[in-house]
Amino acid sequence: MEREYERKYDMEYRSFREISAARRKRRNRLRLQRLFAVILFASLVSPCLYLVVPSVKAKAESGISYERRIVSVRVAENDSLWKIAERFYCKEKESIPDFIDDIRRINHLESDTIYPDTYLIIQYYVKKAP
């Protein structure tokens, strides 16, 4: 009777090992599938990004170069971020909303509200002389 119990226990223990081994195999298979999906996604997305980039390259290859400048601007009574951005905006570089976002990021502003007699740091670009 004792041997029979030991055999039964050994068989259950082995089946548990087999079950855990199968789980490991399944986990590893899922990991490989996820890795394959990520690689496939990256291989499909990167050519699409490459199609967008030539427009930026064309501007860079056109021979126009820009010089970055940084200036501190005092906010006047009726100034807004939009008005200040229009003063320093360079059409070839980015859109005005993107430029305003850069101003907010540089000056650690959480909203578009600015107050008179404060100073803002503006980073802008001018065409470099040939």
Side-chain angles (χ1 to χ4, degrees), residues 64-77:
I64 300 172
S65 59
Y66 294 92
E67 182 179 334
R68 182 178 73 166
R69 295 189 180 169
I70 299 173
V71 66
S72 178
V73 176
R74 183 175 178 212
V75 178
E77 186 69 34

Side-chain angles (χ1 to χ4, degrees), residues 49-62 92:
L49 291 176
Y50 185 72
L51 295 174
V52 174
V53 174
S55 62
V56 176
K57 285 184 178 179
K59 287 182 182 178
E61 292 172 357
S62 65
E92 289 83 5

Side-chain angles (χ1 to χ4, degrees), residues 9-22:
Y9 180 74
D10 286 342
M11 291 178 82
E12 287 178 9
Y13 185 71
R14 286 186 195 138
S15 66
F16 178 74
R17 281 186 186 168
E18 291 171 1
I19 290 171
S20 62

Side-chain angles (χ1 to χ4, degrees), residues 74-77 79 109 111-120:
R74 183 175 178 212
V75 178
E77 186 69 34
D79 270 349
L109 299 174
S111 69
D112 290 341
T113 306
I114 53 175
Y115 300 100
D117 297 327
T118 58
Y119 288 88
L120 294 176

Side-chain angles (χ1 to χ4, degrees), residues 2-120:
E2 219 173 282
R3 284 187 178 176
E4 200 175 302
Y5 176 76
E6 288 175 10
R7 285 185 195 158
K8 188 176 180 183
Y9 180 74
D10 286 342
M11 291 178 82
E12 287 178 9
Y13 185 71
R14 286 186 195 138
S15 66
F16 178 74
R17 281 186 186 168
E18 291 171 1
I19 290 171
S20 62
R23 285 180 182 167
R24 275 194 304 275
K25 284 182 182 179
R26 194 176 322 125
R27 253 185 272 137
N28 288 338
R29 193 177 327 115
L30 284 173
R31 285 180 185 148
L32 285 173
Q33 287 174 349
R34 288 181 189 140
L35 179 65
F36 178 74
V38 167
I39 291 171
L40 180 67
F41 179 75
S43 66
L44 293 175
V45 170
S46 61
C48 295
L49 291 176
Y50 185 72
L51 295 174
V52 174
V53 174
S55 62
V56 176
K57 285 184 178 179
K59 287 182 182 178
E61 292 172 357
S62 65
I64 300 172
S65 59
Y66 294 92
E67 182 179 334
R68 182 178 73 166
R69 295 189 180 169
I70 299 173
V71 66
S72 178
V73 176
R74 183 175 178 212
V75 178
E77 186 69 34
N78 293 322
D79 270 349
S80 67
L81 283 178
W82 190 270
K83 288 179 185 177
I84 293 171
E86 283 180 334
R87 271 190 260 162
F88 295 98
Y89 174 66
C90 176
K91 291 180 184 174
E92 289 83 5
K93 278 309 214 182
E94 55 192 12
S95 66
I96 289 184
D98 290 340
F99 190 60
I100 290 173
D101 287 341
D102 284 345
I103 294 171
R104 287 178 46 205
R105 182 182 46 80
I106 290 169
N107 291 287
H108 306 289
L109 299 174
E110 293 183 11
S111 69
D112 290 341
T113 306
I114 53 175
Y115 300 100
D117 297 327
T118 58
Y119 288 88
L120 294 176

